[in-house]
Amino acid sequence: METNLWKKYKNNSDLERFCEGYKTFISDCKTERECIKYAIAAAEAAGYKSLRDLIKSGEKIKAGDKVYSVNMNKTMMLFCVGEKPIEDGINIIGAHIDSPRLDLKATPLYESVDFCMLDTHYYGGIKKYQWIATPLALHGVVIKKDGQAIEINIGDNEDDPVFCISDLLPHLDRKPENKFKEVNGEDLNLIAGTIPDDKAEKDKIKTNILNILKEKGIEEKDFFSAEIEVVPAGRARDLGLDRSMILGYGQDDRVCAYTSLMAALEVENPEYSTMCLLVDKEEIGSIGATGMHSQYFENALAEIMNIAGQYNELSLRRAMANSAMLSSDVTAAVDPNFMAPFNVATDAHFGKGLSLNKYTGAGGKSGANDANPEFIGWLRKVFDDADVTYQATEMGKVDEGGGGTIAYLMAKYGMNVIDAGVPVLNMHAPSEATCKVDIYEAYRAYKAFFASKRIK
Ligand code: MN
Ligand code: MN
């Protein structure tokens, strides 16, 4: 477990190709909806059929068949029917596709001194000062009253304008309350324009921006039925002189979402059924119709078992209880600049492969899904047999803090769950860093897990 994986993967063209695909994914997919759109196209190309279409046509499914289901354009399940009955359990891998960001408010536009501004409400755990004086893009959708959807994607094409939140110059921030670290939520306002519409009687600059929006079919009131996310502009890049790492937005948890999805696309005729879950709202507690708390997981599984001719209430409950799950979510990598909260001996390191957190939670394991040793013993064999390198880790020193994932929400069905993901530096910052060998090893680990023979 102590090996640095670069010994194995230096100049490995498969790894480089995989990571190029990953960089494209996180550069193009900066919202849940963009991730789902990508995943649907990839799933269909890999032979997955729409659950909704199958229900409509009455077509039945059998061992080896692949089905996908989408919930509200923000949650997705990819399922491959195993040779064994589904009630014998499913090998599940679940990642989240939401990332910390700023959201435009429902009434975002206002005018202040010489500017038109866009008001935001941040989403998830951000350090607010990191989001100011940096180029930002708007991604999302506006829904008109008649149901028409207008897609928004401004700031990521070369020719696009970008947005930014202004910051105070150092010359004027001598008072402690003006220091950058004192940024609060209501200060996170995007600068959107300075040209006035001289025909307007008041709010001339805001009116001019509304004129521009009108050309795109958007009116001020439409922001109420919109979901517009403010994300860092620009593409993911290689990090370091040796190009060993990747710097980009949204790697918590799209690095695990991508690796899980790629593993799911390659599943062929598994012995036990496989499921890949891509879920929303993890960063704000997994609540809501598209979060892991929702009944969506059970409902979609029931539908799939039904068209496989294997549904009844008891079989559904058995399927869930007999399942095994990798909660594929990132963990914190030991940081060379901020060593204090880390225990170097027990925390995750770049270059040492998939990170397995037996438990997360905070102080005294509070709120943790503490994985069972019987399950971990079996997993060790799965990974060792597939020559997968992994590290047994925690997240930070005891009592330094902590965090959660979707693991406990799946464990409530009585299934075995463990957190298994990629170590990340600068987690929740506009630019997060990962190490390429860890990404590739996570993908290999997820493939081995989907192919595994025994699940309990
Ligand atoms: Mn996460
Ligand atoms: Mn997170």
Side-chain angles (χ1 to χ4, degrees):
M1 282 206 275
E2 288 306 308
T3 355
N4 182 307
L5 270 170
W6 283 109
K7 282 179 199 148
K8 180 175 167 186
Y9 286 122
K10 212 171 171 189
N11 301 320
N12 183 303
S13 57
D14 290 339
L15 177 147
E16 287 302 331
R17 206 175 312 119
F18 188 87
C19 288
E20 285 304 310
Y22 169 61
K23 282 193 301 190
T24 302
F25 172 73
I26 55 169
S27 300
D28 291 343
C29 304
K30 294 186 176 180
T31 67
E32 304 79 3
R33 288 168 191 268
E34 287 166 353
C35 290
I36 293 296
K37 210 176 200 181
Y38 178 101
I40 290 173
E44 288 183 345
Y48 282 83
K49 289 182 181 170
S50 157
L51 176 64
R52 187 173 293 175
D53 291 349
L54 290 171
I55 292 170
K56 211 179 271 176
S57 71
E59 198 182 319
K60 296 292 174 202
I61 55 171
K62 55 180 191 321
D65 284 349
K66 299 171 183 177
V67 189
Y68 75 88
S69 152
V70 174
N71 178 29
M72 299 181 183
N73 300 314
K74 290 188 281 188
T75 312
M76 185 166 174
M77 176 188 289
L78 294 92
F79 192 96
C80 183
V81 185
E83 288 160 30
K84 301 259 187 197
I86 298 171
E87 71 169 25
D88 284 5
I90 307 155
N91 288 336
I92 303 173
I93 302 180
H96 66 92
I97 50 173
D98 61 319
S99 294
R101 61 176 187 259
L102 313 177
D103 285 337
L104 288 195
K105 284 188 181 177
T107 52
L109 280 163
Y110 68 97
E111 190 164 319
S112 179
V113 282
D114 308 310
F115 300 93
C116 176
M117 309 293 290
L118 288 165
D119 198 357
T120 71
H121 194 137
Y122 68 97
Y123 173 97
I126 63 164
K127 290 173 136 180
K128 299 180 188 87
Y129 71 86
Q130 294 175 335
W131 293 74
I132 58 184
T134 188
L136 298 166
L138 299 182
H139 288 231
V141 66
V142 174
I143 307 294
K144 302 289 285 184
K145 278 199 288 184
D146 64 1
Q148 183 206 350
I150 301 173
E151 303 224 358
I152 307 284
N153 189 335
I154 308 167
D156 269 307
N157 287 323
E158 287 275 291
D159 303 334
D160 282 355
V162 293
F163 301 84
C164 97
I165 298 163
S166 51
D167 195 3
L168 198 56
L169 61 170
H171 317 61
L172 293 181
D173 81 346
R174 300 233 171 105
K175 284 186 184 168
E177 63 268 32
N178 288 336
K179 292 277 183 208
F180 69 96
K181 64 185 172 194
E182 301 294 330
V183 174
N184 59 55
E186 284 293 356
D187 296 334
L188 298 173
N189 307 312
L190 268 60
I191 290 175
T194 59
I195 301 176
D197 175 353
D198 284 322
K199 286 185 279 250
E201 289 189 358
K202 60 179 180 88
D203 288 345
K204 291 173 189 282
I205 301 166
K206 176 181 158 182
T207 304
N208 187 55
I209 293 293
L210 283 170
N211 296 341
I212 294 170
L213 288 170
K214 203 161 199 165
E215 287 165 22
K216 299 176 192 290
I218 299 167
E219 289 174 76
E220 190 168 13
K221 283 182 177 164
D222 293 333
F223 282 100
F224 184 34
S225 49
E227 193 171 80
I228 302 175
E229 305 182 6
V230 183
V231 294
R235 302 186 72 77
R237 311 279 291 268
D238 282 346
L239 172 63
L241 261 184
D242 58 6
R243 310 183 86 102
S244 59
M245 298 163 284
I246 292 172
L247 188 71
Y249 167 68
Q251 300 202 66
D252 173 9
D253 184 34
R254 293 183 190 131
V255 66
C256 295
Y258 184 77
T259 43
S260 302
L261 176 64
M262 291 302 119
L265 297 179
E266 291 178 25
V267 167
E268 291 294 343
N269 301 309
E271 186 170 342
Y272 289 90
S273 296
T274 63
M275 179 191 295
C276 171
L277 280 169
L278 303 176
V279 301
D280 180 26
K281 297 286 182 277
E282 193 276 342
E283 295 293 356
I284 56 168
S286 295
I287 33 70
T290 53
M292 198 65 243
H293 268 294
S294 153
Q295 297 269 327
Y296 164 72
F297 163 71
E298 291 161 60
N299 294 347
L301 179 57
E303 294 280 9
I304 288 169
M305 290 180 74
N306 193 45
I307 60 169
Q310 299 185 34
Y311 174 76
N312 67 56
E313 178 62 19
L314 187 59
S315 290
L316 174 66
R317 285 164 187 267
R318 282 179 180 159
M320 294 190 292
N322 287 331
S323 290
M325 182 187 190
L326 299 182
S327 161
S328 55
D329 203 347
V330 298
T331 193
V334 171
D335 184 332
N337 280 318
F338 298 93
M339 295 280 277
F342 291 97
N343 180 331
V344 172
T346 55
D347 285 336
H349 292 262
F350 267 23
K352 292 193 174 171
L354 180 76
S355 181
L356 292 168
N357 282 359
K358 184 175 185 295
Y359 43 84
T360 54
K365 301 188 178 180
S366 180
N369 162 64
D370 199 353
N372 293 306
E374 290 86 350
F375 176 48
I376 300 174
W378 168 76
L379 265 185
R380 286 173 58 204
K381 179 162 166 51
V382 170
F383 291 150
D384 287 347
D385 286 354
D387 190 30
V388 166
T389 302
Y390 58 89
Q391 36 186 336
T393 57
E394 303 218 350
M395 199 172 89
K397 280 179 181 165
V398 175
D399 285 340
E400 280 288 342
T405 65
I406 60 170
Y408 75 102
L409 292 165
M410 298 300 275
K412 75 181 179 182
Y413 295 107
M415 72 178 74
N416 274 312
V417 187
I418 189 167
D419 283 301
V422 176
V424 171
L425 274 183
N426 324 336
M427 197 193 294
H428 286 204
S431 283
E432 300 174 311
T434 50
C435 188
K436 289 179 179 176
V437 284
D438 301 328
I439 297 171
Y440 194 63
E441 209 64 354
Y443 155 68
R444 291 184 62 248
Y446 299 155
K447 281 209 297 185
F449 178 77
F450 275 147
S452 61
K453 301 286 180 200
R454 187 185 141 261
I455 51 166
K456 264 215 152 169

